[in-house]
């Protein structure tokens, strides 16, 4: 088949194949009631003839605008969030491949985000929403459930029964992080936690405490400091507080990689060496971790891949799939590098070393 000059209409393309417009439209729209053989024939012909459905006409016919939205809450977790950038890249990649657009807006809080949702729904700007950085009690989820608007969340809330979500087993990852440090000989292991209203922060802290209990370390030897934000400065401030305790930790497990970078700064400012005097473990698997000195041991959760999968799940919900059947949990992968290892000394000796460095 030779491509026709100019854009083919649906009518012309259907007549060329000897099929009804409805069959062609439903095959290219991803509907499951078209046989695989017919779908393959239509898709092959569309590629050969250069036919692409008119997105405006398709949207009007199906009552859709072929766009999805994400409302980013400013300052959650920080003005610059490299994981979110990776995530959005994956979302865009998947939507582009399926002929959809992404509308990105911002809000100052989750409550304000609800108002943005309401405005976008009333204006029929999007067909559904992607949520990120879910809170334990998340008003965004409650609003979208009550409004019966398609959505998928990256992460869960305290109610995760009847909506679509994609998440990582945060708890298991932090059990593993503590087990690794304990196996290396650390007996005083600390945690720099994320702000507690975030659901992932709750689960990672829960995993950390589970790991401490499983390792046989007394809970009093497992200090926890909650960072004011998820940024480098907050990580530095939290790590410094921990290291200036009378019995400083010899290992610090950080809720995210940005906090771990801050912990590096605190350790080095006290005249200590990361990976020898103090082990540091992060979480997110952000690319820059491989360029730190020493390279950061962290857990990889592949933000770009997550974004692509969440986008695909949302399109399935929009097409009518039961959201309760679209609930996915994955395991984070440990990236073992050089920022952790057996402790060079115990907490008491480390405290003396820090005191001598400060006196100097």
């Amino acid at each position: 088949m030779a491509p026709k000059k100019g854009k083919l209409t649906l009518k012309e393309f259907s007549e060329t194949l000897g099929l009804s417009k409805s069959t062609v439209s439903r095959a290219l729209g991803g509907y499951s009631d078209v046989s695989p053989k017919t779908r393959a024939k239509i898709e092959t012909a569309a590629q050969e003839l250069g036919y692409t459905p008119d997105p405006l006409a398709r949207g009007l016919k199906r009552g859709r605008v072929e766009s999805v939205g994400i409302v980013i809450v400013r300052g959650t977790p920080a003005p610059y969030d490299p994981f979110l950038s990776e995530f959005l890249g994956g979302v865009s990649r998947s939507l582009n491949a399926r002929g959809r657009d992404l509308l990105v807006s911002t809000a100052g809080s989750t409550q304000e985000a609800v108002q943005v949702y309401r405005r976008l729904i009333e204006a029929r700007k999007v067909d559904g929403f992607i949520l990120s950085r879910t809170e334990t009690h998340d008003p965004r989820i409650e609003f979208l459930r009550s409004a019966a608007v398609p959505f998928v969340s990256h992460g869960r809330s305290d109610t995760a029964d009847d909506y679509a979500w994609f998440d990582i087993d945060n708890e298991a990852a932090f059990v593993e992080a503590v087990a690794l440090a304990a196996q290396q000989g650390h007996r005083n292991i600390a945690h720099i936690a994320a702000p507690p209203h975030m659901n992932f922060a709750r689960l990672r802290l829960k995993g950390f405490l589970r790991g401490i209990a499983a390792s046989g370390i007394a809970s009093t030897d497992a200090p926890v400091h909650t960072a004011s934000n998820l940024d480098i400065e907050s990580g530095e401030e939290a790590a410094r507080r921990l290291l200036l305790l009378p019995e400083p930790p010899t290992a610090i497990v950080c809720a995210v990689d940005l906090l771990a970078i801050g912990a590096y700064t605190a350790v080095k400012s006290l005249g200590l060496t990361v990976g020898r005097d103090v082990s540091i473990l992060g979480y997110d698997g952000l690319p820059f971790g491989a360029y730190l000195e020493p390279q950061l041991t962290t857990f990889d959760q592949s933000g770009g891949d997550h974004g692509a999968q969440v986008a695909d799940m949302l399109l399935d919900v929009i097409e009518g799939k039961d959201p309760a059947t679209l609930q996915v949990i994955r395991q984070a992968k440990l990236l073992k590098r050089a920022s952790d290892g057996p402790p060079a000394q115990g907490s008491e000796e480390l405290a003396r070393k820090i005191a001598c460095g400060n006196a100097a």
Side-chain angles (χ1 to χ4, degrees):
M1 283 182 271
K4 172 194 169 185
K5 290 185 179 180
K7 182 173 174 60
L8 277 173
T9 65
L10 174 61
K11 182 175 183 293
E12 291 169 335
F13 181 57
S14 303
E15 289 175 348
T16 300
L17 294 173
L19 297 170
S20 70
K21 291 192 296 182
S22 174
T23 299
V24 171
S25 179
R26 294 185 72 79
L28 295 177
Y31 287 91
S32 60
D33 57 355
V34 179
S35 72
K37 182 177 179 181
T38 301
R39 185 190 309 280
K41 174 184 176 181
I42 292 169
E43 289 175 347
T44 299
Q47 193 170 31
E48 291 178 351
L49 296 173
Y51 173 75
T52 56
D54 183 327
L56 178 59
R58 183 174 61 182
L60 291 172
K61 181 73 173 178
R62 298 162 66 183
R64 298 182 188 149
V65 294
E66 309 296 355
S67 296
V68 303
I70 183 167
V71 180
I72 299 170
V73 179
R74 296 188 299 273
T76 305
Y80 170 63
D81 181 0
F83 178 80
L84 182 60
S85 298
E86 285 191 353
F87 180 76
L88 288 176
V91 170
S92 298
R93 184 173 69 247
S94 178
L95 293 178
N96 287 339
R98 295 176 66 173
R100 269 74 167 188
D101 295 317
L102 177 64
L103 187 155
V104 179
S105 187
T106 61
S109 67
T110 50
Q111 292 291 349
E112 185 180 316
V114 169
Q115 301 308 313
V116 177
Y117 291 152
R118 193 187 308 276
R119 185 172 69 249
L120 293 175
I121 292 168
E122 290 174 351
R124 296 190 67 251
K125 295 279 190 178
V126 298
D127 297 319
F129 293 95
I130 292 172
L131 280 67
S132 65
R133 297 295 193 187
T134 51
E135 298 184 357
T136 301
H137 309 289
D138 203 310
R140 299 171 299 174
I141 290 174
E142 295 308 312
F143 170 75
L144 292 174
R145 288 165 83 184
S146 64
V149 174
F151 74 95
V152 176
S153 68
H154 183 237
R156 293 161 284 170
S157 68
D158 57 347
T159 54
D161 49 357
D162 62 350
Y163 62 91
W165 50 262
F166 179 97
D167 205 358
I168 291 295
D169 194 339
N170 293 283
E171 190 174 338
F174 279 72
V175 170
E176 183 179 353
V178 174
L180 173 62
Q183 289 164 8
Q184 291 171 336
H186 294 277
R187 305 307 297 168
N188 189 337
I189 305 169
H191 178 46
I192 300 180
H197 65 282
M198 297 177 182
N199 198 54
F200 76 84
R202 177 180 67 86
L203 294 173
R204 293 175 194 179
L205 174 58
K206 185 177 179 182
F208 173 80
L209 295 176
R210 262 187 58 199
I212 291 295
S215 69
I217 298 172
S219 60
T220 53
D221 295 327
V224 175
H225 185 84
T226 301
S228 57
N229 206 339
L230 294 187
D231 55 29
I232 295 171
E233 293 77 13
S234 299
E236 179 180 0
E237 187 271 338
R240 178 173 286 274
R241 283 176 177 264
L242 290 168
L243 293 170
L244 292 178
L245 290 171
E247 294 187 13
T250 58
I252 302 175
V253 180
C254 301
V256 298
D257 285 351
L258 287 177
L259 293 176
I261 295 176
Y264 268 57
T265 303
V267 168
K268 293 178 180 180
S269 72
L270 293 171
L272 305 174
T273 301
V274 173
R276 187 181 68 201
D277 295 311
V278 182
S279 287
I280 296 176
L281 290 85
Y283 185 100
D284 274 340
L286 298 176
F288 57 64
Y291 297 95
L292 297 176
E293 180 55 45
Q295 292 183 330
L296 176 64
T297 293
T298 185
F299 285 83
D300 180 23
Q301 58 170 340
S302 304
D305 292 341
H306 290 194
Q309 180 152 357
V310 168
D312 287 339
M313 290 169 66
L314 177 57
L315 295 182
D316 286 342
V317 175
I318 291 170
E319 292 291 344
K321 194 163 185 179
D322 181 1
T325 66
L326 296 168
Q327 297 177 342
V328 179
I329 190 161
R330 295 280 173 81
Q331 300 300 313
K333 177 184 177 182
L334 175 66
L335 297 178
K336 182 72 172 67
R337 293 179 179 146
S339 65
D340 66 307
Q345 64 270 306
S347 291
E348 291 184 6
E349 187 179 344
L350 180 59
R352 289 194 292 271
K353 187 172 185 178
I354 292 171
C356 290
N358 285 343

